[in-house]
Amino acid sequence: MAKKKLKDLKVNFNTSWEYAPAPESKDHVKINDRYDLFINGKFTAPQSGKYFDTINPATEKKIAEIADASAEDVNMAVVAARKAYDNVWSKLPAKERGKYIYRIARIIQERAREFAVIESMDGGKPIRESRDVDVPLAAAHFFYYAGWADKLDYAAPGKKVRPLGVAGQIIPWNFPLLMAAWKIAPAIAAGNTVVLKPAETTSLTALKLAEVIRDSGLPDGVVNIVTGAGVTGAAIVNHPDINKIAFTGSTEVGKIIQRSIAGTNKKYTLELGGKAANIIFEDAAIDQAVEGIVNGIFFNQGHVCCAGSRLFVQESIAETVIRKLKDRMETLIVGDPLDKNTDIGAINSKDQLNKIKQYIKIGMNEGGTCYQSSCAIPTKGYFHRPTLFTNVSQSSRVVQEEIFGPVLAVQTFRTVEEVIEKANNIPYGLSGGVWTDKGSKIFKVTSQLRAGVVWANTYNKFDPTSPFGGYKESGVGREGGLHGVMPYVKIEN
Amino acid sequence: MDTAKTQTKKEAIMNGSGENGHASGKKQSRIDVLKTYKIYIDGKFPRTESGRYYILKAADGRQLGNICQSSRKDFREAVVAARKAQPGWSAKTAYNKGQILYRIAEVLEGRKSQFIDELMQQGIDNVAATEEVNLSIDRLVHYAGWSDKFIQVFSSVNPVESSHFNFSIPEPTGVVSVIGSEKTGLIGLISVIAPAIVGGNTVVVLASESKPLCAISLAEVLQTSDVPAGVVNLLTGNAKELNGHFSSHMDVNAIAYCNADEEQLKTIQINAANNVKRVLDYSKHDWMNAESQSPYFIMDFQEIKTTWHPIGQ
């Protein structure tokens, strides 16, 4: 009896300890009512005259209107990029290229808080994350690749590298500024020029970045930013004068792109979906592992392609881990993205929220047991409680498919071999996690996981020097680090 | 290479293939034993399951053999074998893989005359055939040496800002299908197979339709060089018929295309998207060129894996 009581003991968080609101100020942030396309160094109205609204997913209120670029606008951007490549950027000494990129990094740092606030307003992510992760990493990315510009002779031993020309880049809505940095920095450092399209729900920080780029004095046309939805993206992918496509987004769209550019000479990198296994062994530091699980799946509302969305717990500790995990989930604060206490912000869009809800239904219909924290969520805006599923199997759709939300599927295992088999038995291969205090076990698992990034006793860490990208259907090519230079160059003798 | 010997063999083959009882000598000429050319799947030498064949003819119209016209099913069986062999092959030490590649070179060197002879039967002159075989052997030695070096050259330890040890290493992409070079009988095969397998991949290769003889003989070399069953699988047949299957199979991770047909390449690129296969377009490579070997060909069939671990107490 005494034992059972001890086991049932848990911290009671339901006390008078409450967090007073701690909202980040948005007074200093300048947002225009309307944003045009950034083509050839100037903000240019779309030829169609069409604009679409960008809304704050936490309030459902319109923030600004954004130009909807047509194929003609994309063509203008490509023409500007080609001209800048031929006449200016490919002729500039490499060290001067680098210096422009350093300037961009510095200006982002100077305006960091503004970027963080806008990122949270436009995309719904907690200000703590945009302030401490997205924006500093974006600046660091420019800083890192700036230095590569005049060191490319060291990138490919025994060979020379040359730029490819004009790169068309399409980025997702989960890390809007950071993804823009991941794409633009290595491309222009290697001597290419760029036409970039942000996701339609999160264009604002890319357009703010356009201001930074203009203010940095970067030659006109080296970076062009066109906004819009799928039609704009397709115009980039299919433009005959683009030499390289870099895409981050869903595997479904990645495959469409791979098919679309068949028969052309376009090079491509694809950074696609994932369904990472986060594996907890019985000899792991359990409390740290629980923090890692929470960070793995609830970071950025689970809108992370490398999210640890499949939890594998060794059978002997499953009960303890799940109990601790549920307790920890109870403490997560879901709410105003601009509040510094918020752990989980707003789901990026209504569509995405509906998709997540749909998957919850699917999981329950398949016989899964659904658990959600009991926290209050705002009545206005798109919010979703942290959720986990137990009693799921390898074939469950919530185990096999990428949900891209705060939904964790929990499975158990007995042996190392079993968990490796289960972890790899999926079309994706972007990332994975392993938690154990035994070093030899770490290397056994990390070396056998078919995934491009593996975190051992940690999760969801990113760095500009660290290559990122997937195996199998999670994509082709790497971004970040030395390996992230290679997709933007051709290797010559 | 002993030219005279080649000539003699060539004549012998001609004798065997038709003009029986060449009457000039006193001795009755010997009837040659002709070879049945097979395919190579999982370390075994079956004929195609389909029973189909095509007749290979020399430039002068002589019939050289009934070559297997491999089917989709042969390909699928070869992929099963390649998938089964891949983890074990990949897990072999770099030193061991290097020695096995070197062993292929040794065995090939010992059977050089046979390969030159086969190339000549398929219309290559003696000088060019000798050069191609020599280059093939040297290329194997080149890649054998990369086995325990390319990982060093293309790995990195990444100085991340947080307190973590972080490193990136290449790992094999997995199972690779290859539509081999139509133009060359041997060097085209070696130039793609060697970098793919030295990096821990397993391969299913379609040989040149017009020059298939060396592929089958190469399979015999591989089988006697400690290359485990299933690591290299060699099929003969028609590229136009098979490229759709080679590129659409969901358990193939990468495909290399070595010919100039743009329509075939486009088909491959479209099908590859089914499972985001890596597509290597080798249509423009002249494999006889000394520049057509480098560790970058190994890297074409590698994935970079990055591993993080905290540094702390």
Side-chain angles (χ1 to χ4, degrees), chain B residues 104-308:
Chain B
I104 304 171
E106 283 179 346
V107 176
L108 191 54
E109 178 88 24
R111 294 173 60 166
K112 214 158 100 172
S113 57
Q114 179 193 353
F115 281 87
I116 293 171
D117 184 49
E118 282 171 350
L119 287 174
M120 288 172 62
Q121 287 183 55
Q122 295 170 114
I124 316 283
D125 73 40
N126 191 335
V127 175
T130 306
E131 192 193 342
E132 182 170 343
V133 176
N134 284 340
L135 189 59
S136 298
I137 296 166
D138 291 353
R139 192 152 288 173
L140 281 163
V141 173
H142 175 81
Y143 282 113
W146 272 117
S147 180
D148 49 9
K149 294 165 197 73
F150 81 92
I151 294 175
Q152 292 179 311
V153 173
F154 294 98
S155 289
S156 61
V157 171
N158 309 308
V160 295
E161 195 193 352
S162 54
S163 182
H164 290 90
F165 184 71
N166 173 303
F167 62 97
S168 300
I169 50 164
E171 287 187 348
T173 299
V175 173
V176 178
S177 66
V178 180
I179 302 281
S181 157
E182 184 58 40
K183 276 192 275 185
T184 62
L186 182 64
I187 187 69
L189 294 172
I190 298 288
S191 300
V192 183
I193 293 172
I197 67 171
V198 80
N201 299 281
T202 54
V203 296
V204 180
V205 185
L206 181 66
S208 165
E209 189 176 14
S210 58
K211 298 184 182 67
L213 299 188
C214 294
I216 297 142
S217 300
L218 178 65
E220 294 161 11
V221 167
L222 295 167
Q223 211 223 15
T224 50
S225 305
D226 303 322
V227 180
V231 171
V232 180
N233 303 275
L234 284 156
L235 306 180
T236 52
N238 180 268
K240 202 173 170 190
E241 178 195 346
L242 291 173
N243 74 343
H245 305 313
F246 270 56
S247 53
S248 61
H249 196 296
M250 293 298 276
D251 204 27
V252 171
N253 303 105
I255 179 165
Y257 183 70
C258 306
N259 295 315
D261 187 322
E262 285 178 10
E263 271 311 303
Q264 277 185 29
L265 177 62
K266 189 173 174 182
T267 303
I268 286 170
Q269 287 168 329
I270 290 170
N271 289 343
N274 292 355
N275 63 338
V276 196
K277 265 182 210 76
R278 288 79 175 110
V279 181
L280 286 312
D281 169 11
Y282 291 150
S283 57
K284 292 182 186 67
H285 281 289
D286 172 10
W287 300 113
M288 291 298 287
N289 187 328
E291 300 288 353
S292 286
Q293 66 182 29
S294 83
Y296 295 92
F297 287 101
I298 304 176
M299 293 307 291
D300 282 348
F301 305 106
Q302 298 290 307
E303 306 289 318
I304 297 297
K305 175 184 278 179
T306 300
T307 306
W308 294 69

Side-chain angles (χ1 to χ4, degrees), chain A residues 33 52-56 59-65:
Chain A
D33 293 338
F52 61 93
D53 292 347
T54 190
I55 64 148
N56 181 336
T59 62
E60 302 179 42
K61 283 186 185 140
K62 174 178 167 181
I63 306 173
E65 54 185 30

Side-chain angles (χ1 to χ4, degrees), chain A residues 24-25 28-29 104-120 127-140 177 205 208-209 212 338:
Chain A
E24 175 68 38
S25 163
H28 57 100
V29 169
I104 296 170
R106 282 305 206 207
I107 302 173
I108 293 171
Q109 287 174 332
E110 288 161 9
R111 294 175 58 175
R113 190 58 59 86
E114 179 191 13
F115 270 106
V117 171
I118 296 174
E119 199 73 304
S120 284
I127 184 74
R128 269 210 330 265
E129 289 176 13
S130 50
R131 184 194 65 194
D132 298 346
V133 180
D134 294 67
V135 177
L137 269 180
L177 178 70
T205 45
K208 282 279 164 188
L209 180 63
V212 169
L338 285 178

